[in-house]
Each structure stands twice: as structure tokens, then as C-alpha cells.
Amino acid sequence: MLTIKDINPNLINSQYAVRGKIVSRAQELEAQGRKIIYCNIGNPQALKQKPLTFVRQILCLVEYPPLLEKPETPKLFSKDVIERVKFILKENPSGTGAYTQSAGIPFIRKAVANFIEKRDNIPSDPDKIILTDGASKGVQAALTMLIKSSRDGVMIPIPQYPLYSATITLLGGVQIGYYLDETNHWQLNESILVKSLAKAMEKGINPVAIAVINPGNPTGAVLSYDNIQMIINFAKKHNLTILADEVYQENVYSEELKFYSFAKVMYDMNETQTTLFSFHSVSKGFFGECGHRGGYLEVRNIGTDAFEQLIKLQSISLCANVDGQIVTYAMVDPPKEGDESYDVYVTEKQSILNALKEKAEILGTELNKIKGISVDIPKGAMYAFVKLDLPYEKGIDPNTMSDEELLKYNAQRDFNYCLSLLEETGICVVPGSGFGQLPGTMHFRTTFLPPKEEIERLVVLIRDFHIKYVDRLRSY
Amino acid sequence: MLTIKDINPNLINSQYAVRGKIVSRAQELEAQGRKIIYCNIGNPQALKQKPLTFVRQILCLVEYPPLLEKPETPKLFSKDVIERVKFILKENPSGTGAYTQSAGIPFIRKAVANFIEKRDNIPSDPDKIILTDGASKGVQAALTMLIKSSRDGVMIPIPQYPLYSATITLLGGVQIGYYLDETNHWQLNESILVKSLAKAMEKGINPVAIAVINPGNPTGAVLSYDNIQMIINFAKKHNLTILADEVYQENVYSEELKFYSFAKVMYDMNETQTTLFSFHSVSKGFFGECGHRGGYLEVRNIGTDAFEQLIKLQSISLCANVDGQIVTYAMVDPPKEGDESYDVYVTEKQSILNALKEKAEILGTELNKIKGISVDIPKGAMYAFVKLDLPYEKGIDPNTMSDEELLKYNAQRDFNYCLSLLEETGICVVPGSGFGQLPGTMHFRTTFLPPKEEIERLVVLIRDFHIKYVDRLRSY
């Protein structure tokens, strides 16, 4: 019988905190009848965000084409939606029922290329675009391709989204962490990059790629144009492939900040030698269609022979699910002014984005009022990475600890904090140690996805809990 | 810039012939305006099989719940479908838009367990069932878990479906091929199993699992109860995990033969020590919903700690797409007698299965009339693995060749045959070497999915081509 000793050690060693022990405990409590506020994961529709009417009308009709022939249909669906579905079925006559090309349905890949061209005012090649089951599968495919041996390392931000660390571990590669600069709104810092690369190379690690998440998960930061330029120059200098995780590109909540894609900055720099993978998804933004597992990757500056290997990799799993491909199409080619569904689309979109902005602001401002808690108010994405300053237990002097000891000690401390928060308030957040953090610091990640009233309640619950928790710590 | 020399060698070495060079060439020809008959892949709806009304009505409504409130809806949808969709949305209020639990939506896993209990009259545990993006992803997850090092081997049939060989290579494990017995309707043979295992162990390989495809792909064979019993005893004796690929369980076309699940036979044998993974899919059977990427795996006799690792692996990709999960639900809990949609469901189902049976018969019978072609008329699945006896070129004596030389030589020969068949007739089949075959033999795999008229035309095209091709070979 299969037991833990028979299992791939890389799997055993991989960790995915976003669905880890705290979440299991939350599910247990929920099964016992407790009300849980799930702030552990960017899953908007589980937290009552409504799907967009445009997207769902398309899916509805494309799943059941006989409805197109019914006299009632024009009363029930927007005219442009009906035209769209006819177009989808003309371009892809087998609808949602058949495997597609391994890279995805050609007309949708063309639509993605158009979207990139319009967004960035740069050319994009549909034959270098692959439709994927969410961005996660795209990232996993890229890493599968890039990690050749247990010496190969991938630079990942700390804190990072644990998809990266888990996948690298699973593939038997090495993580090369680089700290994001919390004192500078979590931007990347060149000297930190240089130092972490040098340290890895001293250990005999062969760095093959650098992953960047922009806007940031878990940090909520939006990278500046200059910062992206610096990263591209750094990657070029050290011959690193760039993995640009841009799934939160629609989630920018500040007037002063703007999302710049790596593809755009690279094009402006006339950089044609550094390989770039960009990832996007239907799960985030204002779509929030996590359950449909749709997304795409675009590759630039890659050898034809290398790209063919990526297509072969996709072919082994046949293709991404077709509904997810169609949601991706709806994302990259939304209703236009004059279309019957346009006004509703814009209203729904703005209402979701405005609410997210407002909730990020409330969450950040209110948490910052609590002594011992501080947070860079998120300007992007769906998360706040909240810093905890907790008193040390009696007899503990952090100055006598090594970095490793400190990390381990604080991992236990932020885990305990999050577990108590869950047990006492029903709020489910993820310990900072699940994402990585500077030795000596402690955090938790929370989403700001729940409805506004719940966010307002949540900050009060966290405040009351935090005060009691700190008192308890002091009394030990 | 990333080129082939930077790519994971395991990826470079993996081969997936079902979407390999012949298929790429077919797509090229099609883009040039040639009509191609795609018999390379089990993709029923791409070959004009209609989706089931019941399935698509459910998906239609579940994608766009506001339709449930419209006065027109009861006229457009069956009453039981409307009730089902209300039930789905009650059990899973976020519908298709949110990530689910990593293992899949709980009520659907319960429905799968009920399905297995009814099918086999045995107990099934919903907490040991995981909903997957098609069976492929399930197989990949199991193999990821099982292959610990480059010494670990997995026994796979020859011929096999190349998902297995490709995934094992990708994971850096070893394939241990065992030949299926073409002279005995492609059943498994104990002495062949024993021999191939012994040979692998002599080479220092550590066998961890045995994969069995029943009904067979590419063979179309249906394994007998006794054969399955023999395999379970063999696996038990050698402490091998069994991977039972049962995606064609509805595709049995003979009155005398019956599908037996490994779970059922194992239960009858009271075997509680051998770990079993069973895989099923919505892509085959009479559903043919390939594009929805739905399926499940069930595990029996596994340590809790080992199973937890599998759940963690699933969690890294979050969850299977929700539409696929819902199609799986429709598959395992179809309309019941008395439901409004029952009659249409049964009619559609029978019409698809009867047509497949008839087409398998026509294809097999007609191909067997051609000199130099022979085939075991498929009793299951969607494929025929057709044997070619081609004259050798002048000066070539197969008796002077080693097995390895023979395999290589015939791989070139069946590739050339399939490529010429494609170029001259537009028929796209897959060379036998893509699945593996006994040294000295040659085959191709074809589906019998195209409409009956096309199958009738196809056998004539193959006959005319084959005669000319053999003449050409003789003239060299």
C-alpha cells in the first residue's frame, strides 16, 4: 500500500500555504457551523462578486446552440451577444465539445494578440500565444521547460505567490529568493537582485530565470516603468528568462500609478534577445472567473525549436478547457461602444473596480490605525501584506538568533497568530511565512474581496483580536 | 534567448505521437485547402457527434442563472434540468465562477461515489475521489506522486496510449514496456509481465506501478474478469500500484463482453493492500465532451498521509475547471425514468453507441479484406490498431536485424506509410510506432469516429492507397 515513504520527495517538500493548514482548519470549523470569512484566496465570486452579464450570456448560448434558433432568444439575450456566439461557432464549429489545437483556438489567439497590440501599441504574434487553464498552468509549463536539473535556479520575489516556490520544488529546481523593498512600496531593488544572484552562484546554482509579479501578490504593489526597465536590463545582463505574472493588470487603484507590461517596456527598449513569458488570467481583474480556469501566455524572443517543445508539452494534456478559452476571448474582446451590451458591461466593470479600490483603502487605513500593525495601502491586485510587530516572549532576544533561526521562529509566530485569529474571529488569512519575508519580520496576507460591510466589520474584529493577543503575549 | 539547448531534456525526449508530425502536416495541408479526415484522435464532436441535450441544457442554465427567473425558460428547458440546475446552485452557490475545493465540489464527489457503488455494487468513499481536468491530468498527478527518482519504473502496455510514455519521460522515470498479446485479442499475459519485470529489475530499475488501459487504447480490446484478476495478483505480489485507465468503460460493442472495473474485481478478491488509482473522463463514452476537460480519479488502499500529498498537488493548480466538474456530475447522475429529459437522453445515447458499434464492425471487416492488412475487430474504445504486412525493400533481411534495429526500421516504415496515406488520401492516422509494437510488426491506429458514410469511403480510400503503395514498395 502506498504510504508517505513511497511518495516523490519533491512533492512532499513543496508547500502551498494559500490552501494550507489554516485553510483546512477553517473548513473544519465551517463544517461545524462556524461562519468563516475567507480572506485567504483571491476568489471573488466565492465572496459574492457577481459575474459579468456579457460573459455569462455568451457561455450560456455557446453551451447550447439550439437556443439560437428559438423565437424567445432575442428577447432574452443582447443582440451583440447573439452575433458573437454565431461568430464563435462559425470559427470553431465544434463549439465547447471538442479538443482544440494544443495552443488553443486560432481565432482566440488572434484576439489575444490584438488585445496586446491595442493595450501596448506594440506588435504581437498569435503563434506565440498559448491559451492555458488559468495562469497557474502557464507558469507551470514555463517552469517545466526551464528547469533542467537540480542545479537550475529561478529567482522569485520574497514575499511571493507560493505557486512559484511550490512548482520549483516539485520540479526539483532551486528557489533563489530576492527581497522586495517594503520601505519602497515593495518595488524591486537592483542591489538586492545582484546580491541574491551572486550568493546563489557562489553555491554553484545556475540561475535560469527571474519571476516578477506585477501588480504584486501578496504585496499589492504596482511596479514603475523604471523598475521594469531595471529588471529587464538585469535579466539581459545575466541571460535570464523573464516570467512576468501580470494577472492583476486591471487591478490598479491609484490615479498616479499605471500598469506597464514587460512586453511594452521591452519593446520600447528595443530588447530582442531576452526571452519573456507573460501570463494573464480570467480569474482576476473585474472578471473574477476563477472557476473557468482560463488564461494565456505570450512568449517573446524565443527560438523556434524551443517554442515547439512548449507546444509539445501542452499537447500531452491535449488543450485548455474550451469554456476557459471562450472566457479569455470575452476578456480580450469586450463589447464596444454602440453594442447593446456595452452600457451594462461598463457599469458592472466600474462598480467592481470602484468597490475594490474603496475596500483596499478602508482595509489599509483602518489596519494602519492599530498599534503593532502596519501596511502599505494596496495600489493594485487583491491583497494586502500586513506587517505585524509583536512583542517577543520573555527570555527571547532576536538579536542573538541567526537569520535562519529568526525565520523559523517567526514562521511559528505568524502561524500561531493567524490560527488564533481564525479560531477567535472566523477570519481566514494566510501567514506571511507562506509567502516568505525578511528575517525578523512577520506578516499576514489578506484579500480585500469581501463585501464592504464585511471589510468594515473585519477591521474591527482584527483590531479587537490584535489588542487581546498582544496582551496575552506580554503576560507570558 | 531561449533555444533548444536550454530546455529540460526530459521534455525534449518525451513524445506524443497522437499530436505529432503527421498531425502537424495534416494541419498544414488543411490550411492549404485540402479536406482532411482526422482519425488520429478520439475527438468525437470534432467529427460531428452531437452533444447530449441533457448535458448542454444544464451547462447553459448554470452559466447564466438569471435565465432561471424568466417566464420563457420552462418552455425552453426540461423540467428536470431546471430542478437539477437549482440543486447545483444550492449545493454550490458560486456556480461556475469560483475556485472549488482542491479535490472538487463535495456533492459531485458524492455523486461519483454513488455511481461507482451502483455500477459495481461495492462501497466507494467520496473523500478518496478527486475531480480532474480530464483523465489525462489525473494520470499525470498519480505519476508525479509515484516517480521518486530516475530509477523508478512504471509498467506500461505496448502498444499504449502515449500519455503514459510522455509523462513518465517528462517526470524523469523509466518505462517498463509489457507487450499485449495480439494473438489473444490484446489481453495481458502473465508470463510476459513476469519477464518484462525481471528484465527491468536486472537493469537496476525499481518498479513502482503498472498502468492498464481497459477497454484498450489503441487496441480496442476489452479485458476479461480473469485477466484483471491475474493483473491484480501480479501487482500485489510485486507491490505495484495499479493505474486503471477506464475512460472507455461505456464503449463496449460486443454482447459477449462486459466491462469490469479494477475496483470491482479487487473488492471481490477482498484485496485491501494493493493501491489502485482508477481514472474516468467525460471525453469518451457517448458523452464525447473532450473540450470540457472533465473527469475523476478514485483511489483505494492508500495511506492517509500519501493521499494528503495528492490533495496538496491538486491545490497547487487550485482546482479542476467547474464546467468540467458539472459535466462529470451529469455523467454519473443521468436522467432517471420518468424525468422529462429521460427519453431524449436514452435515444441520443443509444444512437451514438449503436453507430460506434456499427462503424467498428464496418471498419474492421472491410480492412480485413485487404491483403497485407489485418485487424482485431475492436470490441471496445474508439480505435482500431491495424496491422500492416509490407514487403521489405530489396536487400533488406529482417532476420539479420537486432530487435532495436527492427523497431527503428519499422518506425520509419510505418511513419512513411502514414505520411503517404495522408498526402494521397487526406486520411490522418497515427503510426504504430507512436504507441509501441512488437519488433518486426507495423501498425497504424485509426479511430472509427467519422460518420458512417465517411467510414465507408475511408476503407475504400485505404484499400486503393494500400495496393498502390505495396506496388511501389515492390518496384524499388
Side-chain angles (χ1 to χ4, degrees), chain A residues 121-249:
Chain A
N121 196 24
I122 62 174
S124 169
D125 178 0
D127 288 332
K128 291 282 155 34
I129 288 164
I130 297 179
L131 305 178
T132 56
D133 284 311
S136 300
K137 288 290 178 200
V139 170
Q140 288 168 356
L143 289 171
T144 300
M145 199 176 167
L146 288 165
I147 296 176
K148 300 181 295 302
S149 83
S150 58
R151 279 183 56 240
D152 285 351
V154 178
M155 298 187 72
I156 57 173
I158 297 184
Q160 52 109 26
Y161 176 53
L163 164 68
Y164 292 91
S165 51
T167 306
I168 294 166
T169 304
L170 194 58
L171 293 167
V174 190
Q175 303 163 35
I176 307 173
Y178 62 85
Y179 291 108
L180 299 174
D181 190 353
E182 187 163 9
T183 64
N184 184 23
H185 306 295
W186 299 108
Q187 301 285 303
L188 277 71
N189 176 313
E190 189 170 5
S191 73
I192 294 176
L193 289 180
V194 169
K195 237 182 282 175
S196 81
L197 191 77
K199 209 168 132 190
M201 289 176 78
E202 267 170 38
K203 288 187 200 159
I205 297 166
N206 169 41
V208 297
I210 180 168
V212 184
I213 310 173
N214 177 42
N217 176 3
T219 63
V222 180
L223 297 185
S224 70
Y225 191 96
D226 291 352
N227 212 242
I228 295 171
Q229 230 172 2
M230 179 277 287
I231 299 162
I232 293 170
N233 279 324
F234 173 82
K236 181 185 171 75
K237 187 168 170 191
H238 299 285
N239 195 23
L240 301 175
T241 292
I242 299 174
L243 307 181
D245 182 335
E246 300 177 332
V247 301
Y248 299 99
Q249 58 188 265

Side-chain angles (χ1 to χ4, degrees), chain A residues 1-16 18-19 27 41-43 45-46 51 53 56-57 59-65 67 70 72-73 75-77 94-103 133 136-137 140-141 143-149 152 161-163 166-167 170-171 208 239 241 272-275 277 281 283-284 288-293 300-306 309-310 312-313 315-323, chain B residues 1-16 18-19 27 41-43 45-46 51 53 56-57 59-65 67 70 72-73 75-77 94-103 133 136-137 140-141 143-148 152 161-163 166-167 170-171 208 239 241 272-275 277 281 283-284 288-293 300-306 309-310 312-313 315-323:
Chain A
M1 192 190 302
L2 213 59
T3 65
I4 194 86
K5 69 173 183 5
D6 308 306
I7 303 296
N8 178 352
N10 290 338
L11 173 56
I12 294 174
N13 292 333
S14 67
Q15 296 302 336
Y16 188 69
V18 173
R19 295 200 157 199
Q27 286 171 354
I41 194 162
N43 196 7
Q45 294 194 30
T53 305
R56 295 309 189 87
Q57 285 201 347
L59 287 172
C60 174
L61 285 174
V62 88
E63 284 294 8
Y64 188 48
L67 215 51
K70 304 285 179 183
E72 293 89 350
T73 299
K75 279 179 278 172
L76 297 167
F77 296 85
S94 50
T96 59
Y99 298 129
T100 69
Q101 288 187 12
S102 307
D133 284 311
S136 300
K137 288 290 178 200
Q140 288 168 356
L143 289 171
T144 300
M145 199 176 167
L146 288 165
I147 296 176
K148 300 181 295 302
S149 83
D152 285 351
Y161 176 53
L163 164 68
T167 306
L170 194 58
L171 293 167
V208 297
N239 195 23
T241 292
T272 57
Q273 289 308 306
T274 304
T275 303
F277 287 78
S281 162
S283 303
K284 312 300 171 184
E289 288 285 1
C290 300
H292 281 102
R293 315 305 299 115
R300 287 173 186 257
N301 306 333
I302 188 168
T304 308
D305 49 3
Q309 295 295 322
L310 188 58
K312 184 175 72 181
L313 178 60
S315 79
I316 301 174
S317 307
L318 297 154
C319 63
N321 84 84
V322 180
D323 288 276
Chain B
M1 191 191 301
L2 213 59
T3 65
I4 194 89
K5 70 172 185 1
D6 307 307
I7 303 295
N8 178 351
N10 290 338
L11 173 56
I12 294 173
N13 292 332
S14 67
Q15 297 302 336
Y16 188 68
V18 172
R19 295 200 157 198
Q27 286 171 353
I41 194 163
N43 196 6
Q45 294 193 29
T53 305
R56 294 309 190 87
Q57 286 203 347
L59 287 172
C60 173
L61 285 174
V62 88
E63 284 294 8
Y64 188 48
L67 215 50
K70 304 284 179 183
E72 292 88 351
T73 300
K75 279 180 277 173
L76 297 167
F77 296 85
S94 50
T96 59
Y99 298 130
T100 69
Q101 288 187 12
S102 308
D133 284 311
S136 300
K137 288 289 178 200
Q140 288 169 355
L143 290 171
T144 299
M145 200 175 164
L146 288 165
I147 296 177
K148 299 180 295 300
D152 286 351
Y161 175 53
L163 164 68
T167 305
L170 194 58
L171 293 167
V208 297
N239 196 22
T241 291
T272 58
Q273 289 308 306
T274 305
T275 303
F277 287 78
S281 163
S283 303
K284 313 300 170 183
E289 288 285 2
C290 300
H292 281 101
R293 317 306 298 115
R300 286 173 187 257
N301 306 333
I302 188 169
T304 308
D305 48 4
Q309 295 295 321
L310 187 59
K312 184 175 72 184
L313 178 60
S315 80
I316 300 174
S317 307
L318 297 154
C319 63
N321 85 85
V322 180
D323 289 275

Side-chain angles (χ1 to χ4, degrees), chain B residues 335-360:
Chain B
K336 284 156 207 55
E337 229 176 312
D339 289 349
E340 193 182 325
S341 57
Y342 180 76
D343 287 347
V344 171
Y345 181 83
V346 171
T347 307
E348 290 175 344
K349 168 182 170 172
Q350 279 315 327
S351 130
I352 291 168
L353 290 176
N354 291 343
L356 284 171
K357 183 178 173 169
E358 192 186 8
K359 291 186 287 186

Side-chain angles (χ1 to χ4, degrees), chain A residues 6 53 83 107 117 146 154 203 220 238-239 265 320 347-348 378 385 390 400 407 426 442 467:
Chain A
D6 308 306
T53 305
E83 291 311 311
F107 89 89
E117 288 185 358
L146 288 165
V154 178
K203 288 187 200 159
H238 299 285
N239 195 23
V265 180
T347 308
E348 290 175 344
F385 201 55
L390 298 181
T400 66
L407 280 174
M442 268 190 300
I467 293 170

Side-chain angles (χ1 to χ4, degrees), chain B residues 80 108 128 175 190 239 251 270 348 422 429:
Chain B
D80 58 312
I108 299 182
K128 291 282 156 34
Q175 304 164 34
E190 189 170 5
N239 196 22
N251 300 104
N270 205 9
E348 290 175 344
L422 171 67
V429 298

